[in-house]
Amino acid sequence: MKKLIIINGPNINLLGKRETSIYGTQTFDEYFNTLVNKFPTISLEQYQSNIEGELIDKIQEVGYSYDGIILNAAAYTHTSVGIGDAVKAIETPVIEVHISNTAVRESFRHQSYIAPHAQGVILGFGLQSYELAIQSFS
């Protein structure tokens, strides 16, 4: 059974409340339950933190033993050299995910410190971006 983890960065814990016109009304926990039911042959875990160092710690912790990481570093995508370096340092493949299409948002969101070290990038498909990332590991 493949073992995948979804690692979410800052403010993803506010899904369902935050900017619903961009991110929708469903919480991530609700959506995660949907994913677990949709992919019963994959061991799925999730982790979320608003703290950059905790995200780096989690990437390092799972980066040599899991089959894949789905990483939505949120705003840290565009600011954290440290998270980019953590992704570069590990062996586990990483798919960078974004709920919104960051390419059509503010210009600072066009830079990713993760993408150069990721296996791929999926953005702009709403929460379905996570599902597409899971499918990429199949």
Side-chain angles (χ1 to χ4, degrees), residues 22 98-106 109-110 123-126:
I22 296 173
H98 297 283
I99 297 166
S100 68
N101 181 352
T102 57
V104 299
R105 296 186 62 195
E106 304 92 338
R109 294 185 195 274
H110 300 174
L123 53 92
F125 292 96

Side-chain angles (χ1 to χ4, degrees), residues 3-66:
K3 190 172 185 176
L4 305 179
I5 186 168
I6 297 170
I7 299 176
N8 283 320
N11 301 311
I12 302 300
N13 57 309
L14 294 178
L15 287 183
K17 301 175 189 173
R18 169 187 179 226
E19 298 175 276
T20 56
S21 62
I22 296 173
Y23 300 108
T25 57
Q26 191 173 34
T27 69
F28 192 80
D29 285 340
E30 291 167 344
Y31 182 66
F32 183 75
N33 289 333
T34 301
L35 291 175
V36 168
N37 290 328
K38 189 165 193 164
F39 296 98
T41 61
I42 296 174
S43 173
L44 273 176
E45 297 175 29
Q46 68 165 317
Y47 176 83
Q48 189 276 328
S49 178
N50 293 319
I51 301 169
E52 181 179 17
E54 290 180 359
L55 295 169
I56 292 168
D57 287 344
K58 182 55 83 170
I59 291 166
Q60 292 176 355
E61 176 188 325
V62 302
Y64 295 93
S65 58
Y66 282 54

Side-chain angles (χ1 to χ4, degrees), residues 56 59-60 63-64 82-92 94 117:
I56 292 168
I59 291 166
Q60 292 176 355
Y64 295 93
I83 291 175
D85 284 349
V87 170
K88 182 179 180 182
I90 62 171
E91 295 175 357
T92 298
V94 174
H117 313 297

Side-chain angles (χ1 to χ4, degrees), residues 116-138:
H117 313 297
Q119 179 174 302
V121 178
I122 301 170
L123 53 92
F125 292 96
L127 290 173
Q128 187 181 7
S129 296
Y130 292 94
E131 181 177 337
L132 295 170
I134 293 168
Q135 290 172 351
S136 77
F137 286 110
S138 299

